[in-house]
Amino acid sequence: MNDPEHDDPLLRRARHELRASERDLDELTLARLGRARARAIEAAARGKRYRWWRTAPLAAAAALALALGLAWLQPPPDSPAPLLEDLRLLSSGADLEMLEDLDFYLWLEYAQPDRG
């Protein structure tokens, strides 16, 4: 993992002292340390699975909120998308000067009574 040649001299000295003290341990202490290490690794593995289960409901709620938000932003199915209408109008070759007064024409259409 770590390259000892690039370590700090203090770290190299500490590593050397720890390994030397490890060699001086009796068999009973080494066995206890081995069991403690195995329990710690097992507990860490259980903890990782538990964290996944805690985040799963949050991820599902976020996905549901995103889906509802996207559905709310969609135009109704019976009305064409505004962008497509704008593109059709621009490509139809209609008089574009009329578009400058579009608000006036919309008001005029709604202000006039039905002639029928």
Side-chain angles (χ1 to χ4, degrees):
M1 284 197 232
N2 292 337
D3 190 2
E5 297 167 357
H6 292 87
D7 284 345
D8 184 14
L10 179 65
L11 292 175
R12 275 187 271 156
R13 179 73 181 154
R15 187 179 293 118
H16 174 72
E17 291 296 324
L18 286 171
R19 287 185 180 149
S21 68
E22 181 183 350
R23 285 188 290 265
D24 296 336
L25 294 175
D26 61 313
E27 292 294 321
L28 179 61
T29 305
L30 286 175
R32 287 180 182 166
L33 287 173
R35 284 193 304 270
R37 180 178 184 270
R39 284 193 306 266
I41 290 172
E42 184 180 318
R46 280 194 313 262
K48 287 180 184 175
R49 286 191 302 257
Y50 177 70
R51 278 182 266 158
W52 182 85
W53 282 107
R54 282 193 312 191
T55 58
L58 181 62
L64 179 64
L66 179 65
L68 290 175
L70 289 175
W72 182 68
L73 291 175
Q74 293 292 329
D78 57 343
S79 70
L83 181 59
L84 291 177
E85 283 297 313
D86 292 343
L87 288 176
R88 286 184 192 136
L89 187 60
L90 290 173
S91 65
S92 68
D95 186 15
L96 295 180
E97 290 178 12
M98 181 186 82
L99 294 177
E100 293 175 3
D101 297 325
L102 189 59
D103 289 333
F104 172 74
Y105 291 113
L106 288 173
W107 171 81
L108 188 61
E109 180 182 335
Y110 288 114
Q112 293 181 351
D114 287 338
R115 297 181 188 175

